[in-house]
Amino acid sequence: MDYQILKNIITAELERFKTISEEEWSYKISPEKWSKKEILGHLCDSAFTNIRRFVITQYKENENIVYDQDLWVKVQNYQNISASEIISLWKVLNRQIVHIVENIPDEALQRICDTTKTEPRTFTLAYIIEDYIDHLQYHLKAI
């Protein structure tokens, strides 16, 4: 698999983030909707969770690795952290993801992990990596 797309996303978004003011990062359309900071915080939480998936699935199949995205964003209180700190965290986590996925042996890409909160459903590591990139791109569009 070629993970250049993930490297390109990181580089392009870090440049784009520089054009967004702290006020824009903090603005909430309503109390129950996430601000741009909270969306990026959610992407950090996703990265934390997927790092676990990408590492553990290489040596232990069928592990159930999930998280409650709304609770994680609330508990971590991203709204009250500076955008620059969240951006730094996002950058480091995603560079680590690039490092991990570039070093996954091809045979490990077919190992499986359960990423669901309710009924067990397993996905290959290759699928989970692609899904991570799709999820990342989806949320970055909202920023």
Side-chain angles (χ1 to χ4, degrees), residues 13-21 25 87:
E13 293 301 322
L14 288 171
E15 282 304 308
R16 188 172 70 88
F17 292 164
K18 293 176 187 175
T19 69
I20 303 171
S21 70
W25 278 109
I87 291 166

Side-chain angles (χ1 to χ4, degrees), residues 15-134:
E15 282 304 308
R16 188 172 70 88
F17 292 164
K18 293 176 187 175
T19 69
I20 303 171
S21 70
E22 188 68 35
E23 294 75 30
E24 289 175 280
W25 278 109
S26 297
Y27 177 74
K28 289 174 74 82
I29 194 166
S30 69
E32 62 277 352
K33 296 286 186 184
W34 288 343
S35 67
K36 287 176 173 38
K37 286 197 296 190
E38 290 170 315
I39 294 169
L40 193 62
H42 162 65
L43 290 175
C44 291
D45 297 342
S46 174
F48 286 128
T49 302
N50 280 287
I51 286 171
R52 283 194 71 224
R53 290 172 178 158
F54 301 158
V55 171
I56 291 172
T57 304
Q58 290 186 64
Y59 65 86
K60 187 174 183 182
E61 284 194 287
N62 294 314
E63 209 46 29
N64 179 247
I65 303 172
V66 298
Y67 71 111
D68 186 315
Q69 63 186 24
D70 293 318
L71 282 175
W72 278 47
V73 168
K74 181 181 177 186
V75 169
Q76 296 205 63
N77 196 16
Y78 288 113
Q79 187 63 15
N80 292 307
I81 300 174
S82 72
S84 63
E85 288 182 53
I86 302 169
I87 291 166
S88 294
L89 179 60
W90 180 84
K91 176 177 80 172
V92 169
L93 289 169
N94 279 281
R95 286 186 174 162
Q96 181 62 21
I97 285 174
V98 169
H99 175 72
I100 293 167
V101 298
E102 285 183 335
N103 287 284
I104 295 174
D106 288 343
E107 62 274 10
L109 291 170
Q110 296 311 307
R111 295 180 65 83
I112 56 174
C113 178
D114 179 4
T115 64
T116 54
K117 293 179 192 166
T118 55
E119 295 292 317
R121 279 187 60 212
T122 57
F123 300 94
T124 66
L125 191 50
Y127 174 86
I128 295 168
I129 293 166
E130 292 298 326
D131 188 59
Y132 174 78
I133 295 169
D134 291 345

